[in-house]
Amino acid sequence: MSTPEPAPQILNDNGAWCWFQDERALVDPERRLLVVGSIASVAGKDGDRRGGDLDLNVVDLGTGEVQVVTLHEGFESDDHDVPALWLRPDGRWLAVYARHKTDDNTYWRISEVGDPTRWGEERVFDWSHLTDGRRVTYSNIHEIDGRLYCLVRAINDDPCALVSDDLGESWTFAGKLFEREKIGYVNAYARYADGPDGLHVVATDHHPRDDDNAIHHGVISGGRLRDSTGAVVGGELFVDPPVNQDQLTTILPRGSEVGGALLSHAWTTDLRVVDGVVSAVMTARADHPGWPEGAAITGPDAVRDADGNDVPVPDLRLLYARLGADGQWTVSPLAAAGPGLLPHEQDYSGLAALDPYDADALVASTPIDPRDGRTLAHHELFRGRTADGGLTWSWTPITEDSAVDNLRPILAPGDPATEHLLWFRGDMDSSQRFDCEVVLASRPR
């Protein structure tokens, strides 16, 4: 008998997030606190006053009390700017964040012991002498071989790293993780996950808008970058020249056919390592010819080429991949993801979140019911479970008959006994303009 879905609790009436920062939400199990970062929009509740505020939503899991703490007022109205969070061994919280390619800075603050509502002064690492005007975006905090790293998209819009040997009190430039020729807007979109064998990473080649991407996987361990089989790729990490990510194991090659669909323009969505099982979720366009040169987007479902002919909008698919003991990946269809979430971002989807404590479970946001293929009025959340390593999935609805979209779920780590599901719901016009609220639903595992 399935556990009833709890009613969601509103944490913040103006907030959203992107999906290339982690951890965006985290539980302190000792003090029973949950913290999730979000950005307020100029188009949301009290946007004239709060637009661009970089918020932390702090939940007392014992009482349900919520405090919204603003790390930086008027930071930028852009969901790409949410912080990466890390709970230090001394009980202090570290929050690291950056704007969306509008300056050369990585910002960070450190909380008082055990209290993520009280923070020290904001500090800044200035990349301007390194980035050659490319600006920086995203923050991901991970320990690698006993040192703390913050992985940032920076030089040449490639993944780069800062390193700290004092729990985030100070940062220095470590080096570049990958390097390749620039095409279009930016280079690799990377997701990271801690595992017992090192830090796992999946990465695209470029932005799917500009390139028919492949997706690659590797592991950072022992000062080296390794492919999925454990073979060393390149030289000493952050010392020798960085490698092109296509030297890693390719999970999803260009021109892949999965579930009877020819896939293109893939994007990384989520990555987790649970009890040694490495899983990834990706999105891709299905059977889509690509955008002809000169195509114009004229509405949510209307694209015209230079001659005035209609062009089909992408049919997006969610894909699931699992790494086998032999170092080989199995890629399976997960669910239909509908058309692009935004007219000008044809590869945006509602996304999916892998469970940090159950390798056979995830939550997906989609406007297509995965049980029967029925088109829904809005993006709804569904809980997926597999009994065969991800080849097939059973689905249970979490939200139903919603009046607005339910988007970008997060399953917060830190509490193995309880599932803490976060998402935001509302109307989204762009990454900069949205009218959404942040909600939480917690239930025993």
Side-chain angles (χ1 to χ4, degrees):
M1 185 174 185
S2 61
T3 304
E5 296 296 340
Q9 176 187 8
I10 298 173
L11 306 186
N12 193 324
D13 57 11
N14 186 348
W17 47 73
C18 185
W19 69 103
F20 288 106
Q21 312 89 337
D22 274 319
E23 296 287 346
R24 287 160 291 163
L26 197 59
V27 173
D28 178 347
E30 181 179 341
R31 297 169 181 85
R32 300 295 297 154
L33 296 174
L34 181 149
V35 182
V36 57
S38 61
I39 285 281
S41 170
V42 293
K45 179 73 177 299
D46 299 324
D48 56 340
R49 176 174 56 84
R50 296 175 53 200
D53 283 0
L54 176 62
D55 292 332
L56 291 180
N57 311 285
V58 181
V59 186
D60 185 320
L61 296 173
T63 66
E65 180 186 0
V66 181
Q67 295 187 62
V68 177
V69 181
T70 300
L71 283 181
H72 191 129
E73 292 185 1
F75 188 61
E76 187 178 46
S77 181
D78 194 310
D79 65 23
H80 293 65
D81 299 0
V82 295
L85 303 171
W86 188 64
L87 183 56
R88 299 181 0 165
D90 62 1
R92 298 180 189 271
W93 290 75
L94 171 66
V96 186
Y97 44 99
R99 291 189 171 97
H100 185 197
K101 285 174 68 73
T102 56
D103 70 20
D104 291 301
N105 297 328
T106 288
Y107 302 83
W108 76 97
R109 294 179 70 177
I110 297 172
S111 80
E112 295 189 5
V113 175
D115 189 354
T117 68
R118 298 174 65 86
W119 291 81
E121 65 179 8
E122 183 177 79
R123 286 173 270 183
V124 179
F125 180 88
D126 184 354
W127 291 78
S128 59
H129 63 294
L130 298 165
T131 58
D132 193 25
R134 294 291 185 185
R135 311 297 188 180
V136 303
T137 313
Y138 303 136
S139 307
N140 292 268
I141 306 173
H142 294 277
E143 285 188 90
I144 305 174
D145 300 327
R147 304 181 78 192
L148 190 64
Y149 285 81
C150 180
L151 295 141
V152 180
R153 193 180 70 198
I155 305 168
N156 193 47
D157 290 312
D158 289 307
C160 302
L162 302 176
V163 64
S164 175
D165 291 308
D166 53 14
L167 303 179
E169 294 287 345
S170 62
W171 296 91
T172 57
F173 176 62
K176 297 185 70 173
L177 181 58
F178 303 128
E179 182 175 69
R180 66 180 297 141
E181 181 182 359
K182 182 83 174 293
I183 293 179
Y185 177 55
V186 296
N187 277 342
Y189 280 85
R191 297 301 312 268
Y192 307 92
D194 296 306
D197 54 344
L199 181 68
H200 289 251
V201 55
V202 290
T204 66
D205 304 300
H206 304 284
H207 194 298
R209 181 176 56 230
D210 301 317
D211 186 52
D212 183 7
N213 274 327
I215 293 179
H216 316 282
H217 167 263
V219 184
I220 300 169
S221 176
R224 295 290 190 274
L225 188 60
R226 305 170 188 273
D227 67 13
S228 299
T229 69
V232 172
V233 177
E236 186 176 352
L237 189 65
F238 304 134
V239 174
D240 292 322
V243 303
N244 187 322
Q245 56 265 34
D246 65 11
Q247 296 182 42
L248 303 176
T249 299
T250 300
I251 303 175
L252 191 71
R254 291 175 174 84
S256 293
E257 185 172 320
V258 178
L262 182 64
L263 302 176
S264 63
H265 300 271
W267 220 349
T268 47
T269 300
D270 201 10
L271 178 69
R272 287 287 184 192
V273 183
V274 182
D275 297 329
V277 176
V278 185
S279 301
V281 176
M282 305 166 287
T283 60
R285 304 181 197 177
D287 301 317
H288 191 266
W291 299 101
E293 187 174 354
I297 300 170
T298 57
D301 300 306
V303 180
R304 302 277 166 76
D305 65 17
D307 297 323
N309 301 311
D310 290 337
V311 180
V313 297
D315 170 21
L316 299 180
R317 303 292 172 86
L318 287 165
L319 310 168
Y320 178 82
R322 182 173 287 196
L323 178 60
D326 58 357
Q328 303 301 309
W329 287 84
T330 300
V331 180
S332 308
L334 180 60
L341 183 62
L342 304 173
H344 60 289
E345 292 285 6
Q346 57 267 36
D347 299 291
Y348 275 25
S349 71
L351 303 181
L354 294 162
D355 193 309
Y357 297 106
D358 187 341
D360 295 326
L362 53 76
V363 172
S365 164
T366 174
I368 309 295
D369 193 321
R371 298 169 297 177
D372 56 18
R374 180 169 52 97
T375 299
L376 306 171
H378 293 282
H379 281 72
E380 304 284 4
L381 297 183
F382 294 86
R383 191 182 312 279
R385 175 159 289 281
T386 181
D388 54 15
L391 300 179
T392 59
W393 294 82
S394 59
W395 298 95
T396 304
I398 297 173
T399 63
E400 296 183 273
D401 301 320
S402 301
V404 293
D405 286 332
N406 301 273
L407 301 170
R408 298 181 180 170
I410 299 172
L411 290 166
D415 183 2
T418 308
E419 177 195 89
H420 299 289
L421 171 62
L422 298 132
W423 71 97
F424 60 85
R425 61 188 184 188
D427 299 318
M428 195 170 196
D429 295 326
S430 70
S431 295
Q432 295 72 41
R433 298 187 61 84
F434 45 85
D435 185 5
C436 298
E437 60 186 14
V438 176
V439 296
L440 165 69
S442 299
R443 70 173 200 166
R445 291 187 178 277

